[in-house]
Amino acid sequence: MTRTSGREHHRVIVVGTGFAGIGMAIRLRERGITDFVVLERAGDIGGTWRDNTYPGAACDVPSHLYSFSFALNPAWSRSFSGQQEIWDYLQRCTDAYGVRPHLRLHHEVLDASWDHDARRWHVRTNRGGLTADILVTGTGALSEPSTPDIPGLESFQGSVFHSAQWDHSHDLSGRRVAVIGTGASAIQFVPEIQPEVESLTVFQRTPPWVIPRLDRDLTGAEKALYRAAPRLQQLVRAAIYWARESYVLGFSFNRRLMKAAELIARRQLRRQVPDEAVRATLTPDYTIGCKRILISSDYYPAIMKSNVDVVTSGITEIGPRSVCTGDGAEREVDTIIFGTGFHVTDMPVASRIRGREGRCLAETWADSAQAHRGTTVAGFPNLFMLVGPNTGLGHTSMVYMIESQVSYVLDALRHLERSGAAAVEARLPAQVAYNESVQERMRDTVWTTGGCASWYLDARGRNTTLWPSFSWQFRRATRRFEPAEYVEHERVPEHAAA
Ligand code: NAP
């Protein structure tokens, strides 16, 4: 750390402390780069695994795969870990790899702007300003809860909260509860709260495809084995990885291969929902995989309980104690829980980062978000976005994508050191060509042609969220920082002399 004009200056500022921010910090230290801070707006680390504490919150990627490749956890208690266990794991990594002293908790980034004369980022936080040569964002795609603007919502006199901001002080027992949304979060908490509440009305706009969750406790013997033979856990992880990669064949290449998954989903639906009329309302009319495939073995059984209703008529208005729908019905409720997802394609951080010409990312992306290799953006020197555009996945672990990007960033830093340049900036033609190839590959995928609307698509209908192919292909695309794809900005004289 140095001080220039009274400001604290670092080689790198990392924003966010989810898997992305913590993973970046660990690898920076491993590379011997210690002049960095990690800014976090909340009072603790953890990102989505800190915030999503709703009952039943768990990962739908198997535990052995959902971890850093360099820090396998032989102690996972279940095949699909719960929120607390994953959060604990991230806390342990933060300590074990020496990241804790770099953390600046309660530091919300208000804006960050590139000062081209000084070749550095000015980062303004609620606790004052800092500068850095390099800015790495790890703010995640699922960090800003999205609550629909329903007429009358402000007049509601009961309790209202979003699944990502669960109100644990609100006792649900004996309540008449409305759940809005039937996505990955809702199908996890609905079975948990159903036994407690007096009545549960689930407002479904689009039914999801749901396949069984083959979850189980991992035995003491398995854990002991993994502890004694880490290579074995690596092998299990690899087997899970390649099994999951095979989904891409159906998603991206041959739709007929999705038929098997659809049959599995239909069979579960048939077995768990005997009532034909109810089953019809729960049956999707789009190709499986178009929206995220959900995994649950207890969602439909919960829906079938006598205190649960599924309403498919659209919500028109919320009254002081009720939810009104397009069919003219008004249902009395005293609690509303939004399971309505996140701001993904319109993420707020995009309006807080300003590049070389003073424009913010949101303005630059007014047409559509795009980044070079999902990580860098023309006009934004030395900005690296972890989980940037077209890096999301529908089938496997995001930690794999994050680790790919982190290696790419480290390679860029290595290049900066070797070349002596102050900054690198993606060349626009390289970025455009890369994104054209991504969109070309996206054209025939299930997310584009599967007949559904999803949060993967932006306002123009472009999928700027997902990576359209095998995750190992993304790793290959980010394996090496290619200087020819970048403009190098020379050091300013006083910095060159320093
Ligand atoms: P989501 O998948 O975006 O689901 C949102 C739900 O709310 C959908 O059913 C959506 O309906 C509905 N909705 C949105 N706006 C609405 C409105 N105005 N009126 C009525 N319904 C509305 O959100 P999420 O469940 O929070 O999950 C988000 C993502 O987080 C997941 O896709 C996944 O990537 C991740 N996640 C993962 C896990 C896990 O690993 N198990 C758990 C939770 C979340 P439509 O379908 O019609 O849009």
Side-chain angles (χ1 to χ4, degrees), residues 48-49 52 54 56-61 66 142 146-150 162-164 180-188 203-208 213 286 291-292 294-295 315 338-342 344 393 453-456:
T48 194
W49 298 107
N52 285 272
Y54 60 78
C59 188
D60 56 14
V61 173
Y66 199 79
L142 304 172
S146 166
T147 302
D149 195 10
I150 303 174
H162 188 280
S163 58
I180 302 178
T182 52
S185 303
I187 70 146
Q188 290 187 332
F203 291 89
Q204 171 191 281
R205 191 164 66 177
T206 316
R213 185 181 183 83
Y286 54 87
K291 285 172 180 285
R292 193 181 175 92
L294 306 187
I295 60 166
I315 299 171
F338 284 100
T340 42
F342 299 85
V344 180
L393 295 171
S454 75
W455 59 261
Y456 300 148

Short mmCIF file of all heavy atoms in Angstrom, two decimals, residues 48-49 52 54 56-61 66 142 146-150 162-164 180-188 203-208 213 286 291-292 294-295 315 338-342 344 393 453-456, ligand 1:
data_model
loop_
_atom_site.label_atom_id
_atom_site.label_comp_id
_atom_site.label_asym_id
_atom_site.label_seq_id
_atom_site.Cartn_x
_atom_site.Cartn_y
_atom_site.Cartn_z
N THR A 48 -23.47 -14.79 -2.17
CA THR A 48 -24.79 -15.40 -2.22
C THR A 48 -24.99 -16.42 -1.08
O THR A 48 -26.10 -16.62 -0.60
CB THR A 48 -25.00 -16.05 -3.61
OG1 THR A 48 -26.36 -16.34 -3.79
CG2 THR A 48 -24.19 -17.32 -3.81
N TRP A 49 -23.87 -17.02 -0.61
CA TRP A 49 -23.97 -18.02 0.45
C TRP A 49 -24.06 -17.39 1.83
O TRP A 49 -24.31 -18.07 2.81
CB TRP A 49 -22.81 -19.03 0.35
CG TRP A 49 -22.92 -19.73 -0.96
CD1 TRP A 49 -22.12 -19.55 -2.05
CD2 TRP A 49 -23.94 -20.66 -1.35
NE1 TRP A 49 -22.58 -20.33 -3.09
CE2 TRP A 49 -23.69 -21.01 -2.69
CE3 TRP A 49 -25.04 -21.23 -0.70
CZ2 TRP A 49 -24.50 -21.92 -3.39
CZ3 TRP A 49 -25.84 -22.12 -1.39
CH2 TRP A 49 -25.57 -22.46 -2.72
N ASN A 52 -28.34 -15.76 1.12
CA ASN A 52 -29.51 -16.62 0.93
C ASN A 52 -29.64 -17.63 2.07
O ASN A 52 -29.13 -18.74 2.00
CB ASN A 52 -29.43 -17.33 -0.41
CG ASN A 52 -29.75 -16.38 -1.54
OD1 ASN A 52 -30.91 -16.21 -1.93
ND2 ASN A 52 -28.72 -15.71 -2.05
N TYR A 54 -32.60 -18.54 3.36
CA TYR A 54 -33.98 -19.03 3.44
C TYR A 54 -34.00 -20.52 3.82
O TYR A 54 -33.03 -21.24 3.55
CB TYR A 54 -34.72 -18.77 2.11
CG TYR A 54 -34.12 -19.43 0.89
CD1 TYR A 54 -34.32 -20.78 0.63
CD2 TYR A 54 -33.37 -18.70 -0.01
CE1 TYR A 54 -33.78 -21.39 -0.50
CE2 TYR A 54 -32.82 -19.30 -1.15
CZ TYR A 54 -33.03 -20.64 -1.38
OH TYR A 54 -32.50 -21.25 -2.48
N GLY A 56 -34.04 -24.26 3.78
CA GLY A 56 -33.82 -25.22 2.70
C GLY A 56 -32.80 -24.77 1.67
O GLY A 56 -32.57 -25.50 0.68
N ALA A 57 -32.18 -23.60 1.86
CA ALA A 57 -31.21 -23.11 0.87
C ALA A 57 -30.05 -24.09 0.74
O ALA A 57 -29.41 -24.45 1.73
CB ALA A 57 -30.67 -21.73 1.25
N ALA A 58 -29.81 -24.53 -0.46
CA ALA A 58 -28.75 -25.51 -0.71
C ALA A 58 -28.30 -25.39 -2.15
O ALA A 58 -28.97 -24.75 -2.97
CB ALA A 58 -29.28 -26.93 -0.45
N CYS A 59 -27.18 -26.02 -2.45
CA CYS A 59 -26.64 -25.93 -3.80
C CYS A 59 -27.17 -27.09 -4.64
O CYS A 59 -27.30 -28.21 -4.14
CB CYS A 59 -25.13 -26.00 -3.73
SG CYS A 59 -24.37 -25.67 -5.31
N ASP A 60 -27.46 -26.83 -5.90
CA ASP A 60 -27.91 -27.95 -6.73
C ASP A 60 -26.79 -28.48 -7.63
O ASP A 60 -27.05 -29.21 -8.58
CB ASP A 60 -29.20 -27.62 -7.51
CG ASP A 60 -29.07 -26.39 -8.37
OD1 ASP A 60 -27.94 -25.94 -8.58
OD2 ASP A 60 -30.11 -25.88 -8.83
N VAL A 61 -25.56 -28.12 -7.27
CA VAL A 61 -24.39 -28.77 -7.89
C VAL A 61 -23.78 -29.63 -6.78
O VAL A 61 -23.64 -29.17 -5.64
CB VAL A 61 -23.37 -27.71 -8.37
CG1 VAL A 61 -22.09 -28.37 -8.85
CG2 VAL A 61 -23.99 -26.86 -9.46
N TYR A 66 -18.61 -28.52 -6.13
CA TYR A 66 -18.86 -27.12 -5.79
C TYR A 66 -17.88 -26.66 -4.70
O TYR A 66 -18.24 -26.43 -3.55
CB TYR A 66 -20.31 -26.92 -5.34
CG TYR A 66 -20.73 -25.47 -5.43
CD1 TYR A 66 -21.10 -24.90 -6.65
CD2 TYR A 66 -20.73 -24.65 -4.32
CE1 TYR A 66 -21.44 -23.57 -6.75
CE2 TYR A 66 -21.07 -23.32 -4.39
CZ TYR A 66 -21.44 -22.78 -5.61
OH TYR A 66 -21.77 -21.46 -5.70
N LEU A 142 -25.99 -12.83 -9.05
CA LEU A 142 -27.20 -13.08 -8.27
C LEU A 142 -27.10 -12.36 -6.92
O LEU A 142 -27.29 -12.96 -5.87
CB LEU A 142 -27.40 -14.58 -8.06
CG LEU A 142 -27.45 -15.43 -9.35
CD1 LEU A 142 -27.46 -16.91 -9.02
CD2 LEU A 142 -28.68 -15.08 -10.17
N SER A 146 -34.52 -9.04 -7.00
CA SER A 146 -35.48 -8.33 -7.86
C SER A 146 -36.90 -8.55 -7.32
O SER A 146 -37.35 -9.68 -7.19
CB SER A 146 -35.35 -8.89 -9.28
OG SER A 146 -36.44 -8.47 -10.07
N THR A 147 -37.54 -7.46 -7.00
CA THR A 147 -38.92 -7.53 -6.51
C THR A 147 -39.81 -6.82 -7.50
O THR A 147 -39.57 -5.64 -7.79
CB THR A 147 -39.04 -6.85 -5.13
OG1 THR A 147 -38.13 -7.49 -4.24
CG2 THR A 147 -40.44 -6.95 -4.57
N PRO A 148 -40.80 -7.50 -8.06
CA PRO A 148 -41.62 -6.84 -9.09
C PRO A 148 -42.42 -5.68 -8.50
O PRO A 148 -42.79 -5.68 -7.33
CB PRO A 148 -42.55 -7.95 -9.58
CG PRO A 148 -42.42 -9.09 -8.64
CD PRO A 148 -41.19 -8.90 -7.82
N ASP A 149 -42.65 -4.72 -9.38
CA ASP A 149 -43.36 -3.52 -8.98
C ASP A 149 -44.86 -3.77 -9.18
O ASP A 149 -45.42 -3.41 -10.20
CB ASP A 149 -42.86 -2.39 -9.90
CG ASP A 149 -43.24 -1.05 -9.37
OD1 ASP A 149 -43.71 -0.99 -8.23
OD2 ASP A 149 -43.08 -0.07 -10.13
N ILE A 150 -45.49 -4.40 -8.21
CA ILE A 150 -46.90 -4.76 -8.36
C ILE A 150 -47.77 -3.64 -7.77
O ILE A 150 -47.49 -3.19 -6.64
CB ILE A 150 -47.21 -6.10 -7.66
CG1 ILE A 150 -46.30 -7.21 -8.23
CG2 ILE A 150 -48.68 -6.49 -7.81
CD1 ILE A 150 -46.41 -8.54 -7.51
N HIS A 162 -38.07 -10.76 0.52
CA HIS A 162 -37.55 -11.50 -0.63
C HIS A 162 -36.78 -12.71 -0.10
O HIS A 162 -36.18 -12.64 0.98
CB HIS A 162 -36.62 -10.58 -1.44
CG HIS A 162 -36.17 -11.16 -2.76
ND1 HIS A 162 -35.13 -12.07 -2.85
CD2 HIS A 162 -36.61 -10.96 -4.03
CE1 HIS A 162 -34.95 -12.41 -4.12
NE2 HIS A 162 -35.84 -11.74 -4.86
N SER A 163 -36.76 -13.78 -0.90
CA SER A 163 -36.08 -15.00 -0.44
C SER A 163 -34.60 -14.74 -0.10
O SER A 163 -34.04 -15.40 0.78
CB SER A 163 -36.18 -16.10 -1.50
OG SER A 163 -35.63 -15.67 -2.73
N ALA A 164 -33.98 -13.78 -0.77
CA ALA A 164 -32.56 -13.52 -0.52
C ALA A 164 -32.38 -12.59 0.69
O ALA A 164 -31.24 -12.26 1.05
CB ALA A 164 -31.91 -12.91 -1.76
N ILE A 180 -44.55 -15.76 -4.21
CA ILE A 180 -44.60 -15.35 -5.62
C ILE A 180 -43.33 -15.83 -6.31
O ILE A 180 -42.22 -15.50 -5.90
CB ILE A 180 -44.76 -13.81 -5.73
CG1 ILE A 180 -46.04 -13.39 -4.99
CG2 ILE A 180 -44.79 -13.38 -7.20
CD1 ILE A 180 -46.31 -11.90 -4.98
N GLY A 181 -43.52 -16.67 -7.31
CA GLY A 181 -42.38 -17.24 -8.03
C GLY A 181 -42.23 -18.72 -7.74
O GLY A 181 -42.55 -19.20 -6.65
N THR A 182 -41.77 -19.45 -8.75
CA THR A 182 -41.55 -20.89 -8.61
C THR A 182 -40.20 -21.26 -9.22
O THR A 182 -40.09 -22.21 -9.99
CB THR A 182 -42.69 -21.69 -9.29
OG1 THR A 182 -42.83 -21.21 -10.64
CG2 THR A 182 -44.00 -21.56 -8.57
N GLY A 183 -39.17 -20.48 -8.88
CA GLY A 183 -37.83 -20.74 -9.40
C GLY A 183 -37.03 -21.60 -8.42
O GLY A 183 -37.58 -22.22 -7.50
N ALA A 184 -35.70 -21.60 -8.63
CA ALA A 184 -34.80 -22.47 -7.84
C ALA A 184 -34.91 -22.20 -6.34
O ALA A 184 -34.81 -23.14 -5.54
CB ALA A 184 -33.36 -22.24 -8.31
N SER A 185 -35.10 -20.93 -5.96
CA SER A 185 -35.20 -20.61 -4.53
C SER A 185 -36.53 -21.08 -3.97
O SER A 185 -36.58 -21.77 -2.94
CB SER A 185 -35.03 -19.11 -4.30
OG SER A 185 -33.82 -18.65 -4.84
N ALA A 186 -37.62 -20.70 -4.64
CA ALA A 186 -38.97 -21.02 -4.11
C ALA A 186 -39.15 -22.53 -3.94
O ALA A 186 -39.71 -22.97 -2.92
CB ALA A 186 -40.04 -20.45 -5.04
N ILE A 187 -38.67 -23.31 -4.90
CA ILE A 187 -38.94 -24.75 -4.76
C ILE A 187 -38.13 -25.35 -3.61
O ILE A 187 -38.43 -26.45 -3.17
CB ILE A 187 -38.73 -25.55 -6.06
CG1 ILE A 187 -37.27 -25.65 -6.42
CG2 ILE A 187 -39.57 -25.05 -7.21
CD1 ILE A 187 -36.99 -26.98 -7.06
N GLN A 188 -37.15 -24.61 -3.12
CA GLN A 188 -36.43 -25.11 -1.95
C GLN A 188 -37.13 -24.71 -0.65
O GLN A 188 -37.16 -25.49 0.30
CB GLN A 188 -34.98 -24.60 -1.95
CG GLN A 188 -34.15 -25.25 -3.06
CD GLN A 188 -32.68 -24.91 -2.99
OE1 GLN A 188 -32.29 -23.85 -2.49
NE2 GLN A 188 -31.84 -25.78 -3.51
N PHE A 203 -47.98 -18.47 -6.19
CA PHE A 203 -48.33 -17.82 -7.44
C PHE A 203 -47.30 -18.19 -8.50
O PHE A 203 -46.15 -17.76 -8.43
CB PHE A 203 -48.40 -16.30 -7.24
CG PHE A 203 -49.58 -15.90 -6.38
CD1 PHE A 203 -49.44 -15.84 -4.99
CD2 PHE A 203 -50.80 -15.63 -6.95
CE1 PHE A 203 -50.52 -15.50 -4.19
CE2 PHE A 203 -51.90 -15.29 -6.15
CZ PHE A 203 -51.75 -15.23 -4.78
N GLN A 204 -47.75 -19.00 -9.42
CA GLN A 204 -46.84 -19.53 -10.45
C GLN A 204 -47.09 -18.83 -11.79
O GLN A 204 -48.21 -18.82 -12.29
CB GLN A 204 -47.09 -21.04 -10.61
CG GLN A 204 -46.38 -21.66 -11.79
CD GLN A 204 -46.87 -23.08 -12.07
OE1 GLN A 204 -46.45 -24.00 -11.39
NE2 GLN A 204 -47.75 -23.23 -13.04
N ARG A 205 -46.03 -18.22 -12.33
CA ARG A 205 -46.21 -17.62 -13.66
C ARG A 205 -45.87 -18.64 -14.73
O ARG A 205 -46.58 -18.78 -15.70
CB ARG A 205 -45.31 -16.38 -13.78
CG ARG A 205 -45.62 -15.54 -14.98
CD ARG A 205 -45.03 -14.16 -14.90
NE ARG A 205 -43.57 -14.17 -14.90
CZ ARG A 205 -42.83 -13.08 -14.90
NH1 ARG A 205 -43.42 -11.88 -14.88
NH2 ARG A 205 -41.52 -13.14 -14.91
N THR A 206 -44.76 -19.35 -14.53
CA THR A 206 -44.34 -20.38 -15.50
C THR A 206 -43.92 -21.61 -14.70
O THR A 206 -43.08 -21.49 -13.81
CB THR A 206 -43.13 -19.90 -16.31
OG1 THR A 206 -43.34 -18.55 -16.72
CG2 THR A 206 -42.91 -20.78 -17.53
N PRO A 207 -44.48 -22.78 -14.99
CA PRO A 207 -44.03 -23.96 -14.22
C PRO A 207 -42.62 -24.35 -14.60
O PRO A 207 -42.24 -24.29 -15.78
CB PRO A 207 -45.03 -25.05 -14.63
CG PRO A 207 -45.63 -24.60 -15.91
CD PRO A 207 -45.52 -23.10 -15.98
N PRO A 208 -41.82 -24.74 -13.61
CA PRO A 208 -40.46 -25.21 -13.92
C PRO A 208 -40.44 -26.71 -14.20
O PRO A 208 -41.36 -27.43 -13.79
CB PRO A 208 -39.71 -24.93 -12.60
CG PRO A 208 -40.76 -25.06 -11.54
CD PRO A 208 -42.08 -24.68 -12.16
N ARG A 213 -34.05 -34.97 -6.71
CA ARG A 213 -32.80 -34.57 -6.07
C ARG A 213 -32.24 -35.80 -5.36
O ARG A 213 -32.79 -36.26 -4.36
CB ARG A 213 -33.13 -33.49 -5.04
CG ARG A 213 -31.94 -32.88 -4.35
CD ARG A 213 -32.46 -31.84 -3.34
NE ARG A 213 -31.36 -31.16 -2.69
CZ ARG A 213 -30.73 -30.12 -3.21
NH1 ARG A 213 -31.07 -29.64 -4.37
NH2 ARG A 213 -29.73 -29.56 -2.56
N TYR A 286 -42.51 -25.76 -22.46
CA TYR A 286 -41.29 -25.40 -23.20
C TYR A 286 -40.27 -26.53 -23.04
O TYR A 286 -40.43 -27.40 -22.17
CB TYR A 286 -40.72 -24.07 -22.67
CG TYR A 286 -40.48 -24.07 -21.17
CD1 TYR A 286 -39.28 -24.54 -20.64
CD2 TYR A 286 -41.46 -23.65 -20.29
CE1 TYR A 286 -39.07 -24.57 -19.27
CE2 TYR A 286 -41.26 -23.67 -18.93
CZ TYR A 286 -40.06 -24.13 -18.42
OH TYR A 286 -39.86 -24.18 -17.06
N LYS A 291 -35.24 -22.97 -19.27
CA LYS A 291 -34.99 -22.32 -17.99
C LYS A 291 -34.16 -23.30 -17.18
O LYS A 291 -34.12 -24.49 -17.52
CB LYS A 291 -36.30 -22.10 -17.23
CG LYS A 291 -37.16 -20.98 -17.76
CD LYS A 291 -38.49 -21.02 -17.03
CE LYS A 291 -39.42 -19.94 -17.50
NZ LYS A 291 -39.08 -18.60 -17.00
N ARG A 292 -33.57 -22.85 -16.11
CA ARG A 292 -32.74 -23.75 -15.30
C ARG A 292 -33.56 -24.97 -14.88
O ARG A 292 -34.71 -24.84 -14.42
CB ARG A 292 -32.26 -23.00 -14.06
CG ARG A 292 -31.17 -23.71 -13.30
CD ARG A 292 -30.78 -22.90 -12.08
NE ARG A 292 -29.82 -23.61 -11.27
CZ ARG A 292 -28.50 -23.50 -11.40
NH1 ARG A 292 -28.00 -22.69 -12.31
NH2 ARG A 292 -27.68 -24.17 -10.61
N LEU A 294 -34.69 -27.57 -12.42
CA LEU A 294 -34.66 -27.55 -10.95
C LEU A 294 -34.60 -28.98 -10.42
O LEU A 294 -35.09 -29.91 -11.06
CB LEU A 294 -35.90 -26.83 -10.42
CG LEU A 294 -36.11 -25.42 -10.98
CD1 LEU A 294 -37.25 -24.72 -10.25
CD2 LEU A 294 -34.84 -24.58 -10.87
N ILE A 295 -33.98 -29.13 -9.26
CA ILE A 295 -33.91 -30.47 -8.68
C ILE A 295 -34.55 -30.44 -7.30
O ILE A 295 -34.19 -29.65 -6.43
CB ILE A 295 -32.46 -31.03 -8.63
CG1 ILE A 295 -31.55 -30.14 -7.81
CG2 ILE A 295 -31.88 -31.22 -10.02
CD1 ILE A 295 -30.25 -30.84 -7.46
N ILE A 315 -50.96 -11.95 -11.17
CA ILE A 315 -51.27 -11.00 -10.08
C ILE A 315 -51.51 -9.63 -10.68
O ILE A 315 -50.70 -9.14 -11.49
CB ILE A 315 -50.09 -10.94 -9.07
CG1 ILE A 315 -49.86 -12.32 -8.45
CG2 ILE A 315 -50.34 -9.89 -8.00
CD1 ILE A 315 -48.60 -12.42 -7.61
N PHE A 338 -41.35 -13.02 -1.76
CA PHE A 338 -40.97 -12.96 -3.16
C PHE A 338 -39.82 -13.94 -3.42
O PHE A 338 -38.75 -13.81 -2.82
CB PHE A 338 -40.53 -11.55 -3.55
CG PHE A 338 -41.69 -10.60 -3.71
CD1 PHE A 338 -42.03 -9.71 -2.70
CD2 PHE A 338 -42.44 -10.61 -4.87
CE1 PHE A 338 -43.10 -8.85 -2.84
CE2 PHE A 338 -43.52 -9.75 -5.03
CZ PHE A 338 -43.85 -8.87 -4.01
N GLY A 339 -40.09 -14.89 -4.31
CA GLY A 339 -39.00 -15.77 -4.76
C GLY A 339 -38.77 -15.44 -6.23
O GLY A 339 -38.81 -16.32 -7.08
N THR A 340 -38.61 -14.14 -6.49
CA THR A 340 -38.67 -13.64 -7.86
C THR A 340 -37.31 -13.34 -8.48
O THR A 340 -37.21 -12.61 -9.46
CB THR A 340 -39.56 -12.37 -7.91
OG1 THR A 340 -39.26 -11.56 -6.77
CG2 THR A 340 -41.03 -12.72 -7.88
N GLY A 341 -36.26 -13.90 -7.88
CA GLY A 341 -34.96 -13.84 -8.54
C GLY A 341 -34.20 -12.54 -8.36
O GLY A 341 -34.45 -11.77 -7.43
N PHE A 342 -33.31 -12.27 -9.31
CA PHE A 342 -32.31 -11.21 -9.15
C PHE A 342 -32.20 -10.35 -10.41
O PHE A 342 -32.61 -10.75 -11.49
CB PHE A 342 -30.95 -11.86 -8.86
CG PHE A 342 -30.97 -12.68 -7.60
CD1 PHE A 342 -31.40 -14.00 -7.62
CD2 PHE A 342 -30.62 -12.12 -6.38
CE1 PHE A 342 -31.47 -14.76 -6.45
CE2 PHE A 342 -30.68 -12.86 -5.21
CZ PHE A 342 -31.10 -14.19 -5.25
N VAL A 344 -30.14 -9.53 -13.11
CA VAL A 344 -28.98 -10.19 -13.70
C VAL A 344 -28.48 -9.39 -14.90
O VAL A 344 -27.37 -8.87 -14.89
CB VAL A 344 -29.32 -11.64 -14.11
CG1 VAL A 344 -28.10 -12.32 -14.73
CG2 VAL A 344 -29.79 -12.43 -12.88
N LEU A 393 -23.65 -20.56 -16.11
CA LEU A 393 -23.82 -21.96 -16.51
C LEU A 393 -25.19 -22.45 -16.09
O LEU A 393 -25.74 -22.01 -15.08
CB LEU A 393 -22.78 -22.84 -15.81
CG LEU A 393 -21.31 -22.62 -16.14
CD1 LEU A 393 -20.46 -23.42 -15.18
CD2 LEU A 393 -21.01 -23.02 -17.57
N ALA A 453 -39.27 -17.69 -21.83
CA ALA A 453 -38.60 -16.44 -21.46
C ALA A 453 -37.77 -16.78 -20.22
O ALA A 453 -38.20 -17.60 -19.42
CB ALA A 453 -39.64 -15.38 -21.11
N SER A 454 -36.60 -16.21 -20.09
CA SER A 454 -35.82 -16.50 -18.90
C SER A 454 -34.92 -15.33 -18.56
O SER A 454 -34.70 -14.44 -19.39
CB SER A 454 -34.95 -17.74 -19.11
OG SER A 454 -33.84 -17.43 -19.94
N TRP A 455 -34.38 -15.35 -17.33
CA TRP A 455 -33.50 -14.25 -16.92
C TRP A 455 -32.14 -14.34 -17.59
O TRP A 455 -31.30 -13.48 -17.40
CB TRP A 455 -33.39 -14.18 -15.40
CG TRP A 455 -32.85 -15.40 -14.69
CD1 TRP A 455 -33.59 -16.36 -14.07
CD2 TRP A 455 -31.48 -15.78 -14.50
NE1 TRP A 455 -32.78 -17.32 -13.52
CE2 TRP A 455 -31.47 -16.99 -13.76
CE3 TRP A 455 -30.25 -15.23 -14.87
CZ2 TRP A 455 -30.30 -17.65 -13.40
CZ3 TRP A 455 -29.08 -15.90 -14.51
CH2 TRP A 455 -29.12 -17.08 -13.78
N TYR A 456 -31.93 -15.38 -18.38
CA TYR A 456 -30.69 -15.46 -19.14
C TYR A 456 -30.68 -14.42 -20.26
O TYR A 456 -29.62 -14.05 -20.75
CB TYR A 456 -30.55 -16.85 -19.79
CG TYR A 456 -30.52 -18.03 -18.83
CD1 TYR A 456 -31.04 -19.26 -19.21
CD2 TYR A 456 -29.96 -17.92 -17.57
CE1 TYR A 456 -31.00 -20.36 -18.36
CE2 TYR A 456 -29.92 -19.01 -16.71
CZ TYR A 456 -30.45 -20.23 -17.11
OH TYR A 456 -30.41 -21.31 -16.27
P1 NAP B 1 -35.53 -17.31 -10.60
O1 NAP B 1 -35.02 -18.63 -10.99
O2 NAP B 1 -35.25 -16.13 -11.47
O3 NAP B 1 -37.09 -17.50 -10.40
C1 NAP B 1 -37.91 -16.40 -10.22
C2 NAP B 1 -39.34 -16.87 -10.18
O4 NAP B 1 -40.15 -15.75 -9.95
C3 NAP B 1 -39.80 -17.48 -11.49
O5 NAP B 1 -40.72 -18.48 -11.23
C4 NAP B 1 -40.46 -16.29 -12.18
O6 NAP B 1 -41.44 -16.65 -13.11
C5 NAP B 1 -41.10 -15.63 -10.99
N1 NAP B 1 -41.36 -14.22 -11.22
C6 NAP B 1 -40.46 -13.25 -11.49
N2 NAP B 1 -41.08 -12.08 -11.62
C7 NAP B 1 -42.40 -12.32 -11.43
C8 NAP B 1 -43.55 -11.50 -11.46
N3 NAP B 1 -43.47 -10.19 -11.74
N4 NAP B 1 -44.75 -12.09 -11.23
C9 NAP B 1 -44.83 -13.41 -10.98
N5 NAP B 1 -43.78 -14.23 -10.95
C10 NAP B 1 -42.58 -13.68 -11.18
O7 NAP B 1 -35.03 -16.87 -9.14
P2 NAP B 1 -34.47 -17.76 -7.98
O8 NAP B 1 -35.37 -18.89 -7.72
O9 NAP B 1 -34.13 -16.88 -6.85
O10 NAP B 1 -33.16 -18.35 -8.60
C11 NAP B 1 -32.24 -17.53 -9.30
C12 NAP B 1 -31.03 -18.31 -9.67
O11 NAP B 1 -30.27 -18.50 -8.49
C13 NAP B 1 -31.27 -19.72 -10.16
O12 NAP B 1 -31.62 -19.83 -11.50
C14 NAP B 1 -29.96 -20.35 -9.85
O13 NAP B 1 -29.01 -20.00 -10.82
C15 NAP B 1 -29.62 -19.71 -8.54
N6 NAP B 1 -30.08 -20.53 -7.42
C16 NAP B 1 -29.52 -21.74 -7.25
C17 NAP B 1 -29.95 -22.53 -6.23
C18 NAP B 1 -29.35 -23.84 -6.04
O14 NAP B 1 -28.21 -24.08 -6.33
N7 NAP B 1 -30.13 -24.75 -5.55
C19 NAP B 1 -30.94 -22.11 -5.38
C20 NAP B 1 -31.49 -20.87 -5.57
C21 NAP B 1 -31.05 -20.09 -6.59
P3 NAP B 1 -41.07 -16.85 -14.66
O15 NAP B 1 -40.40 -18.20 -14.74
O16 NAP B 1 -42.35 -16.79 -15.37
O17 NAP B 1 -40.14 -15.74 -15.02
#
